[in-house]
Amino acid sequence: MLETLDAAAVRRWCASGLAALQRHQGEIDDLNVYPVPDGDTGTNLVLTLTSAQQALAMDLETLPDDGHTPHGHALRLMARGALLGARGNSGVILSQILRGLADALAAAPAVRGRQLAAALADAATAAYAAVAHPVEGTLLTVVAAAARAAEQADTDDLRAVARAAAGGAARALARTPEQLPALARAGVVDAGGRGLCLLLDALVEVVTGESPARPAPAPPAVRPPATAVRETGSPAYAYEVQYLLDATDEAVARLRGELDGLGDSLVIVGDGGTWNVHVHVNDVGAAVEAGVVAGRPHRITVTRFADQVAPAAPLPTPLPDGRAAVVVATGAGIAELFAAEGATVVPANPSTGELLDAIRATGAARVVVLPNDPNTQSVASAAAREAHRLGVKVSVVPTRSPVQALAALAVRNPKRRFEDDVIAMAEAAGACRYAEVCHASKEALTVAGPCRPGDVLALVEGEVHLIGADLLDTCTAMVDRMLGGGGELVTLLCGADAPAGLADRVREHVERSWPFVEVQAYEGGQPHYPLLVGVE
């Protein structure tokens, strides 16, 4: 049993936590409330903590000349490794939790109960600060409950505080279905919160030598709906404003209140007096002026989201020196399409470090990143923040599908200012409606009705619109529904498991039913989705 948390204990905690996540990886993946075969919260947490453990293993014995204690240095290595290896929203939030712990404990002479409780409070604050629109009933709720329980223990006994934190997290996890209707309908608890509970139980085991006896969450009684709460901003705001800000904590606290009144999607993350500010607004000048009042804003970027169809454009000319695009791709065919457009391609579900390596490998001072998946956007943003510290200007265009990235790449113009080019790419991506067809992997209640394993699902903008039994019929019906809202160009990306001739038959249907619409079809090679569709 330990009275203080030393460097060796940090190493054992990381290893024990990783082992627990690996044992429960499939269970956590299955908690994702989505009836398509891409639940990956458990996988992302494992990969994130694997990177943390690798950082510890490589450098645990090396102490920097900055006055930090051995345990503080170990925690910083763990947090830094998690940040660079973070995958998905859950991985990014976990990396911020570890950063909050490391920042709070780095210079503490000893880590006893009250120090751990204060550090957990800082970790919860860092986690909430990393999310644009915090949603209760998630990993955020669980870490906040752990911090409150640790504080209420009110003791220097490290073992008592660790047990209290783990117990508070477990109770909060059990309540997550009461806070998120999607979880209640699915009969499951939050996947990210479940992962954090395993990590806190691992900490209890390291500190006390005892393994907490907790029952595993019950399997879902009703399969999940095909829609889930998403942490996205309101379309009421037309501009995204981002800048780095040199300012004091007090000034940033006032800035948060002012920007919160101007718009939404507010995220302010800081480290050592430098802050990354992100907000969606209609009054760009007021958002920038608020930064000027608070401190010294620099590397200011403004992206305009306009709801208009982008005109067709010729293939872009090769990128000039100093400017590049990094694109995340799933499938060999999709990767070849992006490479032909002059982009640097990163495989699907990258870590922060992998994206950062790709950004740096371009040798460009100005880089645009296209994540092509909602779950990769937070990873891309984390990589962009890291790149900013290295002097590389990075803008993330929030593409949610490869077809949107193709639309964005098609309008690049190296003769424009980089900021204007990013705006044009964001407009083109936003004007491209996207859809995907897959087979349901789970029984679920969707907004289009109930589905069963094997049913064909047509998802438009991430929401199930059609449920069918025949793949071709569902694909053509989905394209008809999309073109009913207008469109001049349809892009088809055929998946790795698509039957032969699927794209040709969909193309023939469009040419017959919509004679004035142009159709482009490619072999995408993506898994899980026989067909991806874009309409511009």
Side-chain angles (χ1 to χ4, degrees):
M1 293 187 292
L2 299 179
E3 294 184 0
T4 64
L5 190 70
D6 57 18
V10 171
R11 173 184 249 172
R12 293 198 303 273
W13 175 40
C14 188
S16 178
L18 177 57
L21 287 173
Q22 288 171 331
R23 288 195 302 271
H24 296 272
Q25 180 175 340
E27 169 205 321
I28 298 173
D29 281 342
D30 287 342
L31 292 176
N32 286 137
V33 285
Y34 216 72
V36 296
D38 57 4
D40 56 3
T41 296
T43 300
N44 287 338
L45 289 173
V46 166
L47 292 171
T48 300
L49 206 61
T50 296
S51 181
Q53 187 186 45
Q54 289 171 346
L56 277 172
M58 288 188 297
D59 201 19
L60 184 63
E61 303 302 328
T62 302
L63 287 177
D65 186 20
D66 58 5
H68 290 155
T69 59
H71 64 259
H73 182 57
L75 285 166
R76 282 194 178 277
L77 288 173
M78 187 177 173
R80 177 70 175 174
L83 174 63
L84 294 180
R87 297 175 190 260
N89 291 325
S90 56
V92 170
I93 293 173
L94 175 60
S95 75
Q96 293 303 296
I97 291 173
L98 295 175
R99 182 183 69 82
L101 288 172
D103 288 349
L105 299 175
V111 180
R112 295 187 173 86
R114 286 189 172 85
Q115 287 79 22
L116 177 60
L120 284 169
D122 286 356
T125 300
Y128 272 87
V131 177
H133 285 285
V135 175
E136 297 304 328
T138 65
L139 170 56
L140 299 176
T141 304
V142 176
V143 69
R148 286 194 300 272
E151 182 182 16
Q152 290 166 2
D154 193 22
T155 176
D156 280 330
D157 187 333
L158 180 64
R159 293 159 293 182
V161 171
R163 290 192 184 105
R171 292 189 293 274
L173 177 68
R175 293 193 298 269
T176 55
E178 302 171 13
Q179 297 168 297
L180 273 182
L183 297 178
R185 290 193 296 268
V188 298
V189 295
D190 178 69
R194 170 63 171 151
L196 180 63
C197 285
L198 289 171
L199 289 180
L200 291 175
D201 283 345
L203 179 62
V204 171
E205 186 173 2
V206 167
V207 171
T208 67
E210 303 169 358
S211 179
R214 303 191 198 282
V222 180
R223 295 314 302 173
T227 57
V229 176
R230 289 186 171 87
E231 297 168 354
T232 55
S234 166
Y237 299 101
Y239 296 90
E240 177 193 59
V241 178
Q242 290 180 272
Y243 48 81
L244 295 183
L245 179 70
D246 297 333
T248 65
D249 293 359
E250 294 77 10
V252 169
R254 293 191 294 271
L255 177 66
R256 287 182 191 275
E258 186 163 353
L259 291 182
D260 188 52
L262 290 175
D264 68 1
S265 291
L266 177 61
V267 176
I268 302 180
V269 177
D271 185 9
T274 299
W275 307 79
N276 189 298
V277 180
H278 170 282
V279 68
H280 289 182
V281 296
N282 286 325
D283 191 340
V284 173
V288 175
E289 183 179 351
V292 173
V293 173
R296 186 179 73 88
H298 50 106
R299 294 181 187 169
I300 301 170
T301 62
V302 178
T303 300
R304 180 167 62 92
F305 304 101
D307 186 17
Q308 60 184 33
V309 177
L315 291 177
T317 57
L319 287 172
D321 290 340
R323 190 181 298 192
V326 173
V327 189
V328 179
T330 303
I334 293 174
E336 290 176 4
L337 288 172
F338 290 145
E341 296 286 348
T344 296
V345 180
V346 178
N349 196 27
S351 68
T352 305
E354 288 169 344
L355 268 181
L356 180 60
D357 287 344
I359 291 169
R360 297 180 66 182
T362 65
R366 295 164 294 178
V367 179
V368 61
V369 176
L370 307 172
N372 295 337
D373 173 26
N375 203 36
T376 306
Q377 287 184 28
S378 57
V379 175
S381 297
R385 290 193 294 269
E386 290 297 306
H388 277 305
R389 296 174 181 173
L390 300 173
V392 182
K393 186 173 188 177
V394 179
S395 289
V396 179
V397 175
T399 51
R400 292 173 169 260
S401 170
V403 293
Q404 290 187 317
L406 289 173
L409 291 171
V411 301
R412 284 183 305 167
N413 184 348
K415 296 181 180 179
R416 283 192 291 243
R417 287 192 322 126
F418 177 69
E419 293 78 7
D420 294 337
D421 213 26
V422 171
I423 289 174
M425 294 174 73
E427 288 177 342
C432 178
R433 287 168 288 144
Y434 68 94
E436 51 212 2
V437 178
C438 67
H439 290 90
S441 62
K442 304 174 183 177
E443 190 173 310
L445 178 62
T446 79
V447 295
C451 71
R452 296 183 178 182
D455 284 349
V456 182
L457 305 181
L459 295 88
V460 180
E461 306 284 343
E463 185 175 280
V464 176
H465 277 223
L466 295 170
I467 301 173
D470 181 80
L471 179 62
L472 177 61
D473 289 346
T474 306
C475 289
T476 55
M478 177 186 69
V479 173
D480 285 342
R481 179 167 294 194
M482 294 179 74
L483 287 174
E488 300 174 352
L489 172 65
V490 173
T491 301
L492 306 175
L493 297 178
C494 239
D497 300 326
L502 176 64
D504 290 337
R505 297 179 70 181
V506 175
R507 181 208 297 271
E508 291 169 0
H509 171 81
V510 174
E511 291 174 344
R512 184 170 56 251
S513 303
W514 306 88
F516 299 106
V517 174
E518 179 184 353
V519 182
Q520 296 178 345
Y522 306 98
E523 290 295 328
Q526 70 274 3
H528 306 315
Y529 298 95
L531 191 68
L532 301 179
V533 179
V535 174
E536 301 174 59

